[in-house]
Amino acid sequence: MIITEDEARAYVAGLTDTEGMARLEQLASLVLEENQRQNLIAKATEPHIWQRHIADSAQLIENVSRETLGPNAQGPWLDLGSGPGFPGLVIAALCPNMPVVLVESRARRVEFLESAIAALGLHKCRVEGQRLERVEPFPARAISARAFAPLPKLLSLSAPFSTRQTAYVLPKGRSAAQELESLKPSIRAMFHVKHSLTDPDAGIIVKA
């Protein structure tokens, strides 16, 4: 369990290389700077940005297969309601050669995401600055979402982007098990809950 900023940094460092860590350090700085202009993350979490946001996002890649992250997987990684870039920008920074699509409808958030992508040199990452319902469907290799919508609605909205091979990694906090129970049994059977490394009470809903 990750409980300190130093432990969070060490964990993330174990997932990437020096260049990846440099990108994430820069991302943390960009988020904290922009947070003075718009509310990207809660002020109380600023001193804990590595634990609460970066490591919390980075752990998602350990819940998908190597094939999902590899060059032969179908489609990009799709992140819904990306907001300040968690988890989508973190995933893109860790896997810069993998296509990543961030969906965010709020104009100021879109501006931040686009500027961060340019600053970090994430040439395979792009933003869809509109509601998911208006995005032209494509097959996604993985779908992530943090505080996007209740699980039944999330699965319904993302269905046009999902194939039999699509992985889902959905941080759901303390409501993970409860939200999973709300699904029809035939759908619920395709998912399971993994414990979060950054919060002992939180869960991640996974379909690998």
Side-chain angles (χ1 to χ4, degrees):
M1 182 64 65
I2 297 170
I3 59 173
T4 70
E5 283 292 276
D6 287 343
E7 288 172 339
R9 285 174 183 267
Y11 168 73
V12 176
L15 297 176
T16 188
D17 55 18
T18 302
E19 291 182 355
M21 278 299 287
R23 286 190 293 269
L24 292 170
E25 292 277 5
Q26 187 176 2
L27 174 59
S29 296
L30 291 171
V31 170
L32 292 174
E33 180 182 351
E34 183 64 20
N35 212 44
Q36 308 311 306
R37 293 184 282 272
Q38 60 171 308
N39 185 31
L40 294 179
I41 61 174
K43 294 289 185 181
T45 68
E46 287 184 348
H48 314 289
I49 189 169
W50 281 85
Q51 180 207 356
R52 294 288 298 275
H53 301 291
I54 296 179
D56 188 65
S57 299
Q59 68 177 319
L60 298 188
I61 68 170
E62 295 204 289
N63 289 288
V64 299
S65 67
R66 290 185 179 181
E67 289 76 14
T68 297
L69 300 173
N72 296 322
Q74 184 181 29
W77 182 299
L78 176 62
D79 185 50
L80 310 179
S82 297
F86 304 126
L89 270 183
V90 173
I91 299 300
L94 289 170
C95 306
N97 295 318
M98 179 178 68
V100 176
V101 175
L102 312 178
V103 178
E104 174 56 55
S105 61
R106 292 165 288 185
R108 293 186 69 194
R109 302 284 177 96
V110 171
E111 291 176 4
F112 170 73
L113 291 171
E114 290 179 337
S115 67
I117 287 169
L120 299 174
L122 299 174
H123 305 299
K124 292 200 172 185
C125 183
R126 64 181 176 87
V127 183
E128 284 282 354
Q130 57 188 329
R131 295 178 64 86
L132 181 62
E133 298 93 320
R134 298 185 177 183
V135 178
E136 185 69 24
F138 53 80
R141 68 175 65 200
I143 295 175
S144 59
R146 189 185 191 198
F148 175 69
L151 185 59
K153 183 177 181 180
L154 188 160
L155 295 180
S156 175
L157 290 174
S158 65
F161 303 86
S162 179
T163 72
R164 293 174 65 88
Q165 288 75 42
T166 301
Y168 277 82
V169 274
L170 310 171
K172 280 291 184 179
R174 299 180 181 185
S175 69
Q178 182 179 356
E179 290 198 44
L180 192 57
E181 284 297 317
S182 71
L183 300 179
K184 295 179 180 179
S186 59
I187 299 176
R188 186 169 67 237
M190 297 187 291
F191 296 86
H192 61 280
V193 176
K194 296 288 292 291
H195 289 295
S196 170
L197 294 175
T198 60
D199 183 342
D201 298 320
I204 303 167
I205 296 176
V206 175
K207 174 182 174 287

